[in-house]
Amino acid sequence: MSGALLAAAREALAPIRNLYPFEPRFHVHGDVVQHYLDEGPRDGEVLFCVHGNPTWSFYWRELVRRARESYRVIAPDHVGCGLSDKPQDYPYTLEQHVQNLVALVDALEIERCTLVLHDWGGAIGMGWASRNEEAVRRLVILNTAAFRSKRIAFSIGLCRIPGFGALCIRGMNAFARAAVIRAAKTRLPADVIRGYLGPYDSWAHRIANLRFVQDIPMHSGVPSWPVLAEIEDRLPRFRDRPMLICWGGADFCFDDSFLDGWKARFPGAEVHRFAEAGHYVLEDAGPQVIEHMTCLLYT
């Protein structure tokens, strides 16, 4: 990877280095460059963390700090997110994101891992898992879904309106800005807000934020609907894996109906619901979640 690219990444990270003291790494998918974190011992047990929208690997920062002493922690930025390329003419679909994850895991030669999934990371991560069943050792579920549902937050539904959604998300950055206010119930410090919003600083850099919203598979007319249906159908194959569910009970987006969906499909899962935590459950209940994860990793 070119020194110029690495230098640019380090420069972009300079304002948040105290929060995100990790070395940028990159993988090339054809003409697209994807950023990822790879921290901890090379021969350590792997935690593979998959984020959603409108976050990036910054969401996992405290988990990475805590776990990297004992585990190899890998956290990619989806194409269009974080420090990854943000091409304007690109198929920002569930299938494409799954394919990107497949390519990255193959390139890193990861044979087995514990998947840690949040928001869109649930569908993307389980999409990869459904094609690599034996590679999944455990599952950690954080306010996400990997099954179809017609429930959607009113504000997110508004952002799917043609024209209006682009104006809100790409023009005013309303989606990412609203998230740092609504997705955590605790007031986020200014430097944390800066970390979340930093990669999404222009119309061009907010392309994936919009495409993710447009790609929510609400009905069969959305291209990702059959992809998610296939992922959903394969979920029972993972019932024999240890699963930890840590859930923010005050989530405006993935409400308790999604938690019930996971519990119905995985009745043996260990479940912890944090009533006062929001969608960014790691911001509101991070120490407790990490403690429960530590216990899981000993199984």
Side-chain angles (χ1 to χ4, degrees):
M1 188 55 56
S2 73
L5 181 60
L6 186 59
R10 288 172 174 166
E11 181 179 357
L13 292 173
I16 57 168
R17 267 305 186 186
N18 61 315
L19 298 175
Y20 189 91
F22 314 119
E23 183 68 4
R25 300 177 188 273
F26 299 94
H27 175 66
V28 179
H29 304 277
D31 296 330
V32 176
V33 178
Q34 183 172 18
H35 170 259
Y36 66 97
L37 298 182
D38 190 346
E39 297 284 317
R42 300 301 89 184
D43 59 350
E45 183 178 338
V46 176
L47 305 184
F48 205 98
C49 305
V50 190
H51 73 83
N53 182 42
T55 59
W56 56 294
S57 53
F58 181 81
Y59 178 73
W60 307 111
R61 65 194 184 281
E62 290 303 323
L63 173 60
V64 177
R65 282 178 182 268
R66 292 277 297 273
R68 66 177 173 171
E69 295 301 317
S70 302
Y71 299 92
R72 182 180 179 186
V73 189
I74 300 171
D77 292 341
H78 300 304
V79 173
C81 301
L83 299 183
S84 294
D85 279 351
K86 301 175 178 66
Q88 300 303 290
D89 184 15
Y90 187 80
Y92 289 103
T93 61
L94 173 57
E95 176 60 28
Q96 184 62 56
H97 290 301
V98 172
Q99 288 183 20
N100 291 344
L101 206 59
V102 169
L104 178 61
V105 174
D106 288 350
L108 296 176
E109 299 181 339
I110 304 303
E111 295 182 356
R112 295 198 77 196
C113 67
T114 294
L115 277 179
V116 190
L117 310 175
H118 179 249
D119 191 87
W120 262 102
I124 297 168
M126 292 309 299
W128 170 80
S130 69
R131 304 172 194 188
N132 297 272
E133 294 174 27
E134 297 306 314
V136 179
R137 187 167 186 171
R138 308 179 192 85
L139 291 160
V140 179
I141 305 299
L142 309 176
N143 289 71
T144 185
F147 43 82
R148 291 163 294 176
S149 171
K150 294 191 176 182
R151 297 180 68 91
I152 188 171
F154 177 75
S155 56
I156 297 177
L158 287 177
C159 290
R160 289 166 57 84
I161 298 174
F164 181 77
L167 175 64
C168 286
I169 296 176
R170 301 190 71 181
M172 298 185 293
N173 202 19
F175 195 76
R177 288 186 179 279
V180 296
I181 298 172
R182 298 184 64 198
K185 304 310 290 184
T186 54
R187 185 180 179 88
L188 296 179
D191 56 350
V192 173
I193 293 174
R194 187 182 307 117
Y196 275 118
L197 297 183
Y200 308 118
D201 58 354
S202 70
W203 172 279
H205 288 173
R206 295 191 279 266
I207 178 66
N209 299 153
L210 175 63
R211 296 292 183 253
F212 267 119
V213 171
Q214 293 172 333
D215 195 46
I216 296 172
M218 297 299 300
H219 54 77
S220 60
V222 179
S224 289
W225 178 271
V227 180
L228 185 59
E230 183 176 359
I231 294 169
E232 180 179 357
D233 289 344
R234 294 181 179 181
L235 288 179
R237 303 181 185 186
F238 298 94
R239 283 182 181 162
D240 62 338
R241 316 300 160 86
M243 175 182 281
L244 171 67
I245 302 175
C246 290
W247 203 264
D251 188 348
F252 74 98
C253 179
F254 288 93
D255 62 21
D256 281 355
S257 69
F258 293 93
L259 172 59
D260 292 341
W262 285 108
K263 290 163 66 175
R265 291 170 173 84
F266 295 90
E270 176 185 346
V271 180
H272 299 275
R273 181 181 180 275
F274 304 97
E276 301 304 316
H279 181 59
Y280 287 1
V281 63
L282 282 180
E283 298 294 348
D284 291 325
Q288 301 97 307
V289 172
I290 293 171
E291 182 179 352
H292 290 306
M293 283 186 60
T294 301
C295 294
L296 174 76
L297 293 172
Y298 282 107
T299 62

